[in-house]
Amino acid sequence: MTEAKKTPLLDELEKGPWPSFVKEIKRAAANSPSAQDLLGQLELSYVDKKAHWKHGGLVGVMGYGGGVIGRYSDVPEQFPNVEHFHTVRINQPSGWFYTTKALRQVCDVWEKYGSGLTNLHGSTGDLVLLGTKTEHIQTIFDEISNFEEHPMDLGGSGSNLRTPSCCAGPARCEFALIDTLDICHDLTNEFQDYLHRPMWPYKSKIKISGCPNDCVASIARSDFSIQGTWRDDIKIDQEAVRAYVAEGFDIEGLVISKCPTKCMSFDGNELTIDNANCTRCMHCINKMCKALRPGDDRGATILVGGKAPILQGAMMGWVIVPFMKLEPGSGYQELKDFLEDCWAWWDEHGKTRERIGELILRLDMRNFLRGIGREPIPQMVVAPRANPFFFWWPEEVEQD
Amino acid sequence: MEELKSQILAFLEGVSKEKPRVIAEKIGAKKRDVDKACSELAKEGKIEYLYIGTSFVTLAGKDHTPGVIREE
Ligand code: HEM
Ligand code: HEM
Ligand code: SF4
Ligand code: SF4
């Protein structure tokens, strides 16, 4: 094992009240030469003020183009144990529910072939194993995909569908309006080929939240955000509303005035909601969940185009489908067709490294809507128009 | 499909790496069919996917490890 190097700059990061990744890597370094060299190389990065990782390279398992992210040290003579330090993404179960046995199996594999460092869960949602050598990757994959109980698959990386992820939904949360776990599992199986074989201009992500509270931040972190919602009226228990008020609950300050569309009013006795103008943001329901509940006609809103800043700045998704029924056991065919239509349009027109949201900006919403065969609706408006001109399609202009 | 697959392999002989879309353009095939063919070739171990900023396909066994060969 390489002799433990001094890391004065990293040591600074252990001070203070917060948990420190440095402390965790040091703990792993006691048994893992690569974790030890990781510390050394990181210290050097702080001294040199530059990262010492090279990007890319060819790392994958037979038949797959996703799931392993290649990293090589650019100073391997100094840190031979991180010459290769590849990251393995494992497709997490819907809602991140594991048995302890499943986790132990993963950890055993990782102790044998990896640095011992893990990251539950990475930004995509996957179970992330940090740091292994090229020659171990196939073995790791063979072992995890052949676990006797709970066999696992690689997750997504590269220009492909990234591992779909969802909130805990109906398993743990009273607010769930759709079965996020079932939808996530179903889509993962349906689109497994897109998950493993990169063929698109760039990455594409699906995240599913059971309600508009959007606990997986799908609107900002995924190209396709699926959020549970309802389309009938919010259910009001007027007795319970009065009980809140009687207990001194500031209904005016905390609920009525905070409703984004100002569609609520309270006359001191009855709460009224103009449901046609409610955007189903959940705010009032979160605040008074004993008195207000979502309606019974449940489904999902589908938003398209969210992403982090790479080419364009950070973007949130546009509402493209305000309401779609998503019943468990239905096969979710309408949703799948919608996704396929969007991907086909993006794949045909997108430039390399252009996300679907950026393509919509570049080619315009009307081209996107025509491409996927949908009509424009008011919900698609991101901001009021600043440009006084509107260009109709030639065939839509009637001239006399 | 077999013919398309050998066309793709022949094309990849001449380049370091390429995106399926460009391969489709260059050999005059439908992108969808090229994707399917690449998928089969990958399962057969004849091509591999490569990730350098974005994804490419390359003949199996070509070494793209940074620093090992120079990318053109
Ligand atoms: C090919 C040449 C030009 C084109 C295509 C053009 C086009 C336009 C358009 C579309 C607008 C409206 C912008 C908007 O309100 O959204 C505008 C505004 C304007 N243009 Fe031009 N323009 C041209 C040349 C000129 C020239 C030569 C002048 C002056 C000598 C001029 C003076 C103005 C003024 C004063 C405005 C109003 C600016 C404002 O509202 O603050 N334009 N132009
Ligand atoms: C057929 C002839 C013309 C057309 C179609 C036309 C069209 C327009 C349009 C679309 C705007 C922008 C309105 C807006 O802000 O929403 C505009 C503004 C303006 N036009 Fe014209 N225009 C014409 C002739 C003229 C002429 C002859 C002049 C001056 C000699 C002129 C001076 C201006 C100015 C100064 C503005 C800016 C007004 C403002 O923003 O307060 N236009 N015009
Ligand atoms: S998004 Fe909604 S359903 Fe999902 S965990 Fe959060 S509150 Fe519950
Ligand atoms: S859900 Fe949101 S928009 Fe609808 S009434 Fe409640 S606070 Fe207003």
Side-chain angles (χ1 to χ4, degrees), chain A residues 104-391:
Chain A
R104 277 176 214 287
Q105 286 176 321
V106 175
C107 291
D108 288 346
V109 167
W110 200 234
E111 222 163 48
K112 265 188 287 176
Y113 306 111
S115 69
L117 295 168
T118 64
N119 170 15
L120 271 68
H121 288 87
S123 54
T124 43
D126 306 83
L127 196 170
V128 174
L129 306 176
L130 298 152
T132 189
K133 292 178 177 9
T134 309
E135 67 257 32
H136 294 322
I137 287 169
Q138 188 70 43
T139 318
I140 291 167
F141 174 66
D142 293 343
E143 292 199 8
I144 64 157
S145 57
N146 286 302
F147 284 154
E148 251 170 61
E149 273 176 66
H150 317 295
M152 295 187 184
D153 197 358
L154 286 190
S157 70
S159 300
N160 55 1
L161 178 64
R162 299 304 178 82
T163 319
S165 76
C166 64
C167 73
R172 297 186 61 134
C173 182
E174 60 173 310
F175 289 136
L177 299 166
I178 49 174
D179 190 340
T180 53
L181 304 160
D182 187 58
I183 296 167
C184 186
H185 184 69
D186 192 298
L187 294 181
T188 305
N189 289 333
E190 176 81 17
F191 298 122
Q192 216 181 19
D193 209 48
Y194 299 159
L195 196 60
H196 296 315
R197 282 167 273 280
M199 50 180 73
W200 287 333
Y202 201 31
K203 61 181 140 184
S204 186
K205 302 181 179 177
I206 302 173
K207 295 197 198 299
I208 307 148
S209 281
C211 80
N213 283 328
D214 196 11
C215 290
V216 291
S218 65
I219 184 174
R221 301 199 304 135
S222 66
D223 305 81
F224 297 96
S225 159
I226 299 166
Q227 298 186 8
T229 189
W230 65 95
R231 94 183 129 179
D232 49 349
D233 294 351
I234 291 181
K235 291 188 277 193
I236 308 175
D237 177 345
Q238 300 289 356
E239 275 308 314
V241 172
R242 287 188 277 272
Y244 270 101
V245 176
E247 282 166 21
F249 179 77
D250 177 11
I251 191 168
E252 194 56 49
L254 293 175
V255 179
I256 311 283
S257 70
K258 295 273 185 346
C259 168
T261 60
K262 307 275 178 273
C263 67
M264 306 181 91
S265 56
F266 183 62
D267 64 5
N269 187 45
E270 291 267 306
L271 178 71
T272 320
I273 298 177
D274 171 11
N275 280 277
N277 282 310
C278 162
T279 51
R280 288 145 182 87
C281 73
M282 291 288 289
H283 174 74
C284 59
I285 297 169
N286 291 335
K287 280 287 177 209
M288 312 171 67
C289 50
K290 288 183 203 146
L292 301 178
R293 300 308 283 178
D296 290 322
D297 187 7
R298 296 168 176 193
T301 297
I302 322 276
L303 299 94
V304 179
K307 56 170 271 299
I310 293 191
L311 296 185
Q312 298 279 347
M315 286 160 55
M316 304 231 261
W318 281 270
V319 171
I320 300 299
V321 187
F323 190 87
M324 186 186 281
K325 269 281 180 205
L326 292 176
E327 305 277 9
S330 67
Y332 310 118
Q333 199 52 47
E334 187 186 355
L335 175 60
K336 290 171 187 173
D337 292 342
F338 174 78
L339 291 167
E340 290 275 16
D341 289 344
C342 292
W343 285 325
W345 179 77
W346 170 56
D347 195 24
E348 186 178 337
H349 302 284
K351 297 188 212 169
T352 295
R353 284 171 69 79
E354 185 174 50
R355 297 280 286 275
I356 191 167
E358 292 162 335
L359 180 63
I360 295 172
L361 269 190
R362 179 163 68 82
L363 293 187
D364 216 316
M365 180 60 81
R366 67 179 185 147
N367 277 299
F368 171 59
L369 293 177
R370 173 164 287 192
I372 62 168
R374 286 199 169 245
E375 292 293 317
I377 47 167
Q379 283 90 336
M380 292 167 186
V381 174
V382 173
R385 264 170 60 202
N387 185 328
F389 299 101
F390 179 83
F391 297 97

Side-chain angles (χ1 to χ4, degrees), chain A residues 16-38:
Chain A
W18 315 279
S20 168
F21 70 96
V22 173
K23 185 171 151 218
E24 295 305 319
I25 302 177
K26 281 185 179 169
R27 224 161 62 150
N31 307 310
S32 158
S34 60
Q36 196 158 103
D37 273 3
L38 180 65

Side-chain angles (χ1 to χ4, degrees), chain A residues 54-58 62-65 72 158-159 162 193 197-202 340 344 347-348 350-353, chain B residues 19-21 31-32 35 38-39 42-45 48-55 57-58 61-62 64-67:
Chain A
K54 295 192 269 193
H55 238 266
L58 186 70
M62 180 82 140
Y64 277 40
Y72 300 84
S159 300
R162 299 304 178 82
D193 209 48
R197 282 167 273 280
M199 50 180 73
W200 287 333
Y202 201 31
E340 290 275 16
D347 195 24
E348 186 178 337
K351 297 188 212 169
T352 295
R353 284 171 69 79
Chain B
K19 285 195 77 85
R21 155 123 63 129
K31 162 83 170 31
R32 253 213 169 185
D35 287 338
C38 285
S39 200
K43 285 179 211 162
E44 291 162 18
E48 284 166 339
Y49 295 94
L50 172 68
Y51 187 62
I52 302 182
T54 181
S55 296
V57 292
T58 174
K62 271 200 188 172
H64 293 267
T65 309

